[in-house]
């Protein structure tokens, strides 16, 4: 017979296992099985097609996806790591303001960011045409598109991952370690490469993983900028809309294998050495920049960087003020008004995508909020057989690209199943909130687990020794302590859900289309102003949530990673 503690553990695990098996494992298995089907029977024909001589497009798309993802990691690190080092190690006028501006790309959803870059740096973009007019050139000096355009957008939108993780790591380094190296005669460059850089490795590995995964799953930039350039996430989408679900499943499995392989490689690389410090000093300190020339050079560079970082946001605002017909064949917009925003509040049909996004994001985040607390507590504070397996199941949605998660749900729930209560979920309102929920489970579990691991077990024991029941202790003692971690993950989940595009484009219906899908529809109809107005609402929603989380709950953006 089970004792009281084992019964509590079992009661915690049952709902967790039910959710993970039903909505993570089962859909993944369905996709794998579908990839081995051909004409109703079992076959490896899909894989021979993928890797065969007739499948040059698929192999090219696979290589392009890996190639772009590796370059995205490189360029994001090239921007994010130096910025973090400068802002965290040197003090100069405006440093705090510039460091806050440095994370602004995080509030720009992927589709909205790509749209802003198109109208900013594309062939008909404001910047190339402005330079052309000023210099009296016969044609624009440059325009983004193809691989260069994708990499530019990726570097801009993904470098904050490196910036925030590196900033956090730098602030946790014991300064006495570097001081000891200086006292032993080491130069600044040697101290950086031999002492500082190795201690940054865990943060750099985490950021590399995140950027690689996001880039492999990238859909918006290739969708709008690639032209004829193929990537695997797009191939999955094209296979799905062409009705070839078997090949879409095969492509999903291949993309998953590549992403998970990179995850395992980076975890192996990180585990080769021990990065713990034996002591903790007084905290990182910044050096005052005393050279007047260097000081103002840094301020000038900070202002230039600020302008470059804010240009996409400003472009989005300008476009949102262009009424229908206000910018067609002309080089620059010809008229500005609030017509696009007025329509949003006067026409209920135009407001529907905003309402849908809010409802679905709130539903998904409420789910991951509750599920994240229960799962994290079970993983960190309870002992049971198969804990590592449960941890792997929790992390699968993080390792899988968004297009793969979407295909998994299509193949699992396009027919009745026990996990859908005998209903077909594909084509209903509920499939998108479910997709968002699954996608963002790891965000809340990771952030909550980090706080739980720091909580001393004696706190719970003391409450129970004073007569408190377990549930009362959990509700009144544990949850208030871990709430910052839970809110951090939930905040990031909401920010991602409001701007989610890859899973939405695979699963949406007319009745539940979110903002990102409506932006795509408006762009297809060349209604630029209305698309930008929806984009501004997306950015506004994200900014409001982040402000509320920081102001009232003390959750900082850098703590959400």
């Amino acid at each position: 017979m089970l004792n009281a503690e084992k019964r509590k553990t079992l009661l915690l695990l049952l709902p967790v296992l039910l959710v993970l098996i039903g909505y993570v494992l089962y859909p993944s298995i369905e996709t794998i099985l579908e990839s081995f089907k051909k004409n109703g029977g079992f076959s490896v024909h899909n894989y021979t097609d993928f890797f065969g001589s007739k499948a040059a497009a698929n192999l090219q798309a696979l290589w392009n996806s890996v190639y772009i993802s590796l370059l995205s990691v490189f360029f994001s690190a090239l921007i994010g790591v130096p910025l973090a080092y400068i802002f965290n190690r040197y003090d100069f006028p405006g440093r705090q303001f510039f460091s806050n501006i440095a994370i602004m790309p995080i509030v720009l959803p992927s589709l909205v960011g790509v749209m802003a870059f198109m109208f900013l740096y594309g062939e008909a973009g404001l910047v190339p045409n402005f330079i052309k007019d000023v210099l009296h050139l016969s044609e624009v000096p440059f325009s983004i598109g193809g691989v260069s355009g994708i990499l530019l957008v990726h570097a801009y939108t993904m470098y904050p991952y490196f910036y925030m993780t590196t900033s956090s790591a730098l602030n946790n380094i014991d300064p006495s370690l570097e001081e000891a190296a200086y006292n032993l005669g080491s130069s600044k460059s040697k101290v950086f490469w031999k002492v500082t850089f190795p201690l940054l490795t865990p943060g750099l590995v985490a950021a590399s993983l995140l950027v690689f995964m996001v880039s492999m799953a990238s859909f918006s930039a290739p969708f709008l900028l690639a032209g004829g350039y193929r990537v695997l996430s797009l191939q999955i989408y094209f296979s799905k809309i062409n009705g070839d679900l078997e090949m879409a499943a095969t492509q999903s499995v291949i993309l998953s294998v590549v992403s998970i392989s990179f995850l395992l490689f980076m975890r192996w690389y990180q585990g080769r050495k021990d990065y713990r410090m034996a002591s903790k000093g007084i905290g990182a300190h910044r050096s005052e920049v005393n050279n007047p020339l260097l000081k103002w050079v840094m301020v000038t560079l900070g202002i230039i960087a600020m302008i470059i970082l804010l240009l996409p946001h400003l472009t989005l605002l300008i476009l949102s003020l262009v009424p229908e017909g206000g910018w067609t064949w002309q080089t620059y917009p010809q008229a500005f008004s609030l017509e696009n925003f007025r329509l949003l509040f006067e026409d209920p049909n135009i407001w529907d995508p905003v309402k849908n996004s809010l409802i679905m994001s709130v539903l998904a985040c409420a789910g991951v909020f509750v599920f994240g607390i229960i799962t994290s507590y079970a993983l960190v504070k309870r002992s049971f057989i198969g804990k590592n397996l449960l941890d792997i199941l929790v992390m699968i949605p993080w390792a899988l690209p968004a297009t793969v998660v979407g295909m998994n749900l299509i193949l699992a729930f396009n027919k009745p199943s026990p996990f859908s209560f005998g209903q077909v979920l594909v084509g209903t309102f509920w499939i998108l909130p479910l997709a968002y929920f699954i996608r963002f489970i790891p965000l809340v579990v990771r952030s909550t687990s980090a706080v739980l691991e720091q909580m001393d077990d004696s706190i719970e024991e003391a409450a129970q020794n004073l007569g408190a029941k377990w549930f009362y202790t959990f509700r009144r003692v544990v949850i208030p302590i871990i709430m910052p971690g839970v809110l951090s993950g939930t905040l990031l989940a909401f920010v991602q859900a409001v701007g989610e595009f890859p899973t939405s484009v695979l699963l949406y219906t007319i009745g539940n289309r979110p903002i990102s899908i409506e932006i795509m529809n408006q762009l297809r109809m060349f209604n630029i102003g209305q698309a930008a107005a929806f984009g501004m609402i997306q950015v506004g929603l994200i900014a409001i949530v982040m402000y509320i989380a920081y102001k009232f709950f003390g959750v900082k953006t850098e703590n959400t990673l």
Side-chain angles (χ1 to χ4, degrees):
M1 189 172 178
L2 295 174
N3 60 34
E5 287 301 311
K6 288 184 178 179
R7 280 200 303 272
K8 290 172 191 171
T9 303
L10 186 61
L11 287 173
L12 282 171
L13 288 177
L14 279 176
V16 172
L17 287 171
L18 185 64
V19 168
L20 292 176
I21 291 171
Y23 305 107
V24 176
L25 188 60
Y26 166 67
S28 298
I29 292 171
E30 283 291 312
T31 300
I32 294 170
L33 293 176
E34 185 73 19
S35 72
F36 285 103
K37 288 180 182 177
K38 196 69 177 179
N39 301 323
F42 180 86
S43 172
V44 295
H45 191 266
N46 294 314
Y47 288 94
T48 56
D49 274 358
F50 188 98
F51 292 105
S53 57
K54 294 187 295 184
N58 281 325
L59 287 175
Q60 188 64 46
L62 174 61
W63 164 245
N64 289 345
S65 295
V66 174
Y67 172 72
I68 285 176
S69 297
L70 291 174
L71 285 179
S72 297
V73 171
F74 174 75
F75 287 117
S76 299
L78 203 62
I79 298 170
V81 175
L83 276 181
Y85 192 82
I86 290 168
F87 289 143
N88 285 276
R89 286 303 173 90
Y90 297 99
D91 207 0
F92 53 90
R95 182 200 64 80
Q96 185 61 51
F97 177 72
F98 296 143
S99 66
N100 290 333
I101 293 295
I103 61 170
M104 283 300 289
I106 208 79
V107 304
L108 210 58
S110 59
L111 182 63
V112 172
V114 177
M115 181 178 70
F117 268 79
M118 283 173 56
F119 291 104
L120 190 58
Y121 301 114
E123 190 172 356
L126 298 173
V127 171
N129 279 285
F130 177 76
I131 295 173
K132 172 191 166 186
D133 291 345
V134 169
L135 300 179
H136 305 291
L137 303 175
S138 58
E139 57 184 31
V140 292
F142 68 90
S143 64
I144 65 167
V147 179
S148 60
I150 295 170
L151 287 175
L152 180 64
V153 172
H154 281 190
Y156 175 84
T157 55
M158 298 177 193
Y159 87 80
Y161 297 127
F162 275 97
Y163 174 78
M164 289 189 282
T165 53
T166 304
S167 296
S168 178
L170 283 169
N171 287 328
N172 288 327
I173 291 177
D174 186 346
S176 64
L177 297 174
E178 293 171 313
E179 289 167 5
Y182 287 129
N183 292 336
L184 291 171
S186 293
S187 63
K188 282 191 175 182
S189 61
K190 193 170 184 179
V191 169
F192 177 81
W193 289 111
K194 294 292 185 181
V195 179
T196 309
F197 188 78
L199 292 172
L200 296 178
T201 299
L204 296 178
V205 168
S208 298
L209 272 173
L210 198 52
V211 171
F212 186 87
M213 297 296 186
V214 172
S215 182
M216 280 295 288
S218 178
F219 188 88
S220 306
F223 187 70
L224 294 176
L225 296 173
Y229 194 78
R230 298 173 182 270
V231 295
L232 206 49
S233 57
L234 278 184
Q235 292 294 98
I236 295 170
Y237 172 71
F238 292 139
S239 295
K240 186 261 181 184
I241 61 174
N242 289 329
D244 192 354
L245 292 183
E246 293 166 352
M247 181 50 71
T250 306
Q251 292 161 338
S252 297
V253 171
I254 299 294
L255 186 56
S256 302
V257 168
V258 173
S259 296
I260 293 171
S261 297
F262 186 81
L263 168 66
L264 295 174
F265 170 76
M266 294 303 285
R267 291 188 68 172
W268 167 81
Y269 179 80
Q270 182 178 349
R272 289 166 64 234
K273 295 181 181 179
D274 189 350
Y275 301 99
R276 291 173 297 180
M277 290 174 286
S279 63
K280 183 74 180 80
I282 58 173
H285 61 278
R286 284 181 285 271
S287 304
E288 180 74 35
V289 179
N290 295 318
N291 186 312
L293 178 62
L294 181 59
K295 180 185 293 186
W296 291 109
V297 165
M298 294 181 80
V299 172
T300 304
L301 289 175
I303 293 171
I304 294 171
M306 177 191 70
I307 293 170
I308 293 172
L309 289 174
L310 293 180
L311 266 177
H313 301 76
L314 181 61
T315 302
L316 193 66
L317 176 60
I318 292 171
L319 292 175
S320 70
L321 298 175
V322 177
E324 188 173 358
W327 188 16
T328 53
W329 55 269
Q330 302 93 340
T331 305
Y332 306 106
Q334 301 299 301
F336 298 97
S337 74
L338 294 173
E339 179 187 345
N340 297 312
F341 293 100
R342 180 179 59 79
L343 286 172
L344 281 170
F345 292 96
E346 289 184 358
D347 188 338
N349 294 324
I350 293 179
W351 183 254
D352 281 347
V354 179
K355 183 175 67 176
N356 289 339
S357 278
L358 280 173
I359 292 172
M360 292 188 295
S361 297
V362 168
L363 285 173
C365 289
V368 292
F369 179 86
V370 175
F371 184 82
I373 291 174
I374 297 171
T375 307
S376 302
Y377 185 83
L379 284 171
V380 176
K381 296 298 182 182
R382 294 284 163 175
S383 297
F384 54 90
I385 298 170
K387 182 182 284 192
N388 288 335
L389 180 60
L390 182 67
D391 193 34
I392 291 170
L393 275 176
V394 167
M395 295 311 298
I396 282 177
W398 182 70
L400 297 180
T403 44
V404 173
V405 173
M407 280 307 306
N408 287 353
L409 291 178
I410 289 171
L411 295 168
F413 298 117
N414 61 0
K415 56 186 180 292
S417 78
F419 300 111
S420 60
F421 305 100
Q423 303 296 313
V424 175
L425 290 184
V426 175
T428 69
F429 173 88
W430 298 102
I431 192 69
L432 268 183
L434 177 62
Y436 296 166
F437 168 76
I438 294 165
R439 285 265 290 128
F440 306 126
I441 282 172
L443 298 177
V444 181
V445 173
R446 280 169 62 87
S447 61
T448 307
S449 296
V451 181
L452 273 169
E453 285 169 356
Q454 296 174 339
M455 191 185 84
D456 195 332
D457 292 341
S458 63
I459 296 174
E460 266 189 285
E461 292 168 3
Q464 291 177 7
N465 289 339
L466 290 171
K469 299 291 185 182
W470 175 82
F471 184 71
Y472 183 86
T473 303
F474 182 75
R475 182 168 56 89
R476 299 299 299 271
V477 177
V478 177
I479 289 181
I481 292 174
I482 66 173
M483 192 54 66
V486 182
L487 288 174
S488 293
T490 308
L491 162 66
L492 188 56
F494 183 87
V495 167
Q496 297 282 342
V498 167
E500 179 64 22
F501 181 60
T503 48
S504 301
V505 79
L506 288 171
L507 297 168
Y508 82 96
T509 65
I510 295 299
N512 73 347
R513 69 192 188 284
I515 300 175
S516 56
I517 297 301
E518 189 60 25
I519 291 172
M520 182 183 71
N521 292 338
Q522 295 296 333
L523 285 175
R524 283 174 172 169
M525 294 186 292
F526 300 100
N527 194 350
I528 299 163
Q530 195 68 64
F534 277 117
M536 283 301 298
I537 289 175
Q538 259 189 330
V539 172
L541 285 173
I542 292 169
I544 289 168
V545 170
M546 293 176 71
Y547 175 78
I548 291 172
Y550 173 72
K551 191 74 176 177
F552 297 101
F553 301 108
V555 177
K556 296 184 180 180
T557 309
E558 55 266 29
N559 293 334
T560 60
L561 289 180

